[in-house]
Amino acid sequence: MTGPLYPSHDGPGAGRVVEVTVRVMVGADRSTVVVRRGGEPAILHEVRPHGAEADGIGAAVEAAVLDGVKLSK
């Protein structure tokens, strides 16, 4: 058996996990993009034309991680 897939230097249970989910529901005419941290309300929830699904989601994911880290302190 090998070690953990993603080893943590702080050890198991040493801190809070910041979980961010990005969902893209591709419809026939357009897509819905949702970025959410944990079970909290969506940080980003937009209907976008095809081809623009990924535009700007990096900033929303970054904000979600930074807020999650800040709250864990």
Side-chain angles (χ1 to χ4, degrees):
M1 182 171 192
T2 63
L5 185 59
Y6 302 106
S8 170
H9 296 288
D10 294 329
R16 181 173 171 205
V17 172
V18 179
E19 184 175 318
V20 178
T21 304
V22 177
R23 290 194 173 135
V24 179
M25 285 83 52
V26 180
D29 298 322
R30 57 194 172 274
S31 299
T32 302
V33 179
V34 179
V35 176
R36 175 171 296 179
R37 184 180 67 240
E40 297 178 10
I43 293 165
L44 176 75
H45 185 265
E46 295 181 358
V47 176
R48 297 180 172 195
H50 291 293
E53 292 90 352
D55 293 350
I57 63 170
V61 170
E62 181 179 7
V65 171
L66 290 174
D67 286 345
V69 169
K70 189 184 328 178
L71 291 173
S72 70
K73 291 183 180 184

